[in-house]
Amino acid sequence: MKVSLLQFEPRLLDKEYNLKKMKQLLIGLKTDLVVLPELCNSGYVFANKEEVFSVAEEAGKGETYFVLNDIANSINCNIVYGYPELDGNNLFNSCMLIMPDGRFYNYRKTHLFNREKLFFSPGDTGFQVFTILNGVKIGMMICFDWQFPEAARTLALLGAQIICHPANLVLPWCQQAMKTRCLENRVFAVTANRIGTEINAGEIFNFTGQSQILNTRGEVLSSLSVSEEGTITVEINPEEANDKTVTERNDAFKDRRPEFYKL
């Protein structure tokens, strides 16, 4: 199957521009799965909750969902994208999986980073695995979830072959850490990061780009630079993630001894 990612520079609170940019980069893309950045329709450096409410959408509703749902249907692919989710009076940093047949699934970020705690509630969905075309199993995690090995491990234990990882990365370690997450779990990972600098309410965030698609050995199959906008696509065999062999006598999962682990 073909897997892709999209990297660009969203404009803060400018949903119209962000959707137009995503459409330009996605229309005509030939892929089975594409991952977009965290909060790709809204920008990231909010000054207050009122700003978040102004761009938030209910799961499966709102302009961003309908635009990307139409694209998923028109190019016949699965899309994973990050967005600020509105649920009653609560805000979540979420990502959505849209399938070309109209089904959708939502994940709410488990581990909030830094100022996100000022605006969003901690995610309550937990980590789940979903089956897309040809029985391929994917899991979702968002940005700072990378810091916690339990996130990727849980998805892998649930059978995920591909981890979709929308991100707005500012720390310098994630791209390297995700190589380890793939190696220790023998899964593919697609980290879709954003680029650029965002300034608001006296806060300055510099985003690191370097979006990447990794194989089950933690090797980079394809990546973008710190500043590029665009998409990349690679062909993978998801079934490789079913093989947890390390040596002829070792299996990454069968050799686990949970009775000696403290979680």
Side-chain angles (χ1 to χ4, degrees):
M1 68 177 289
K2 292 181 178 179
V3 297
S4 307
L5 60 79
L6 185 158
Q7 176 173 286
F8 78 115
E9 182 176 1
R11 290 182 182 173
L12 182 64
L13 305 177
D14 192 344
K15 191 183 294 187
E16 181 179 359
Y17 169 84
N18 296 333
L19 287 174
K20 182 178 179 181
K21 189 69 175 183
M22 287 185 276
K23 289 173 67 174
Q24 289 174 348
L25 293 170
L26 289 174
I27 293 296
L29 185 66
K30 298 185 183 303
T31 190
D32 299 304
L33 169 67
V34 59
V35 183
L36 281 58
E38 175 186 20
L39 299 174
C40 62
N41 66 336
S42 64
Y44 184 81
V45 186
F46 304 111
N48 49 56
K49 277 194 173 183
E50 287 68 32
E51 288 189 347
V52 189
F53 276 113
S54 74
V55 288
E57 298 180 356
E58 294 182 47
K61 300 180 181 180
E63 187 178 5
T64 306
Y65 168 77
F66 289 115
V67 166
L68 293 178
N69 184 61
D70 286 346
I71 293 174
N73 182 262
S74 67
I75 65 176
N76 192 34
C77 83
N78 300 271
I79 298 177
V80 173
Y81 70 97
Y83 73 107
E85 180 194 351
L86 176 65
D87 183 8
N89 293 320
N90 294 315
L91 294 165
F92 295 95
N93 184 342
S94 298
C95 68
M96 177 79 71
L97 162 64
I98 298 177
M99 300 188 188
D101 62 6
R103 288 180 292 160
F104 64 88
Y105 298 96
N106 198 50
Y107 164 69
R108 293 170 172 169
K109 188 172 184 179
T110 303
H111 305 100
L112 297 177
F113 176 71
N114 200 350
R115 296 180 72 253
E116 293 171 26
K117 295 183 177 184
L118 302 177
F119 314 118
F120 298 108
S121 299
D124 56 5
T125 56
F127 296 103
Q128 304 175 60
V129 170
F130 307 101
T131 303
I132 58 173
L133 74 167
N134 299 323
V136 175
K137 296 182 177 181
I138 71 165
M140 295 183 285
M141 53 188 257
I142 299 175
C143 204
F144 195 53
D145 285 335
W146 71 263
Q147 175 70 59
F148 303 87
E150 297 89 348
R153 174 52 56 91
T154 298
L155 290 171
L157 288 172
L158 289 172
Q161 296 165 306
I162 305 169
I163 292 178
C164 300
H165 185 212
N168 275 191
L169 300 167
V170 294
L171 299 177
W173 310 294
C174 172
Q175 288 86 345
Q176 290 298 317
M178 286 304 294
K179 296 177 182 179
T180 301
R181 298 290 166 266
C182 288
L183 179 61
E184 64 195 5
N185 292 298
R186 294 299 199 272
V187 294
F188 294 92
V190 183
T191 296
N193 194 20
R194 64 159 289 176
I195 62 172
T197 297
E198 208 166 85
I199 303 171
N200 192 20
E203 299 288 339
I204 302 175
F205 279 66
N206 298 300
F207 300 94
T208 62
Q210 302 173 84
S211 298
Q212 60 188 12
I213 301 173
L214 304 177
N215 68 13
T216 61
R217 296 179 297 280
E219 298 165 336
V220 178
L221 298 176
S222 188
S223 64
L224 292 170
S225 73
V226 173
S227 58
E228 289 179 272
E229 286 192 328
T231 62
I232 53 175
T233 301
V234 300
E235 187 135 6
I236 66 168
N237 177 7
E239 292 187 3
E240 292 178 11
N242 300 334
D243 181 5
K244 307 300 183 182
T245 302
V246 180
T247 73
E248 62 179 336
R249 296 181 179 85
N250 294 105
D251 183 287
F253 280 12
K254 291 178 181 177
D255 284 356
R256 295 175 66 248
R257 302 186 66 190
E259 67 271 21
F260 294 110
Y261 307 152
K262 185 174 180 61
L263 297 177

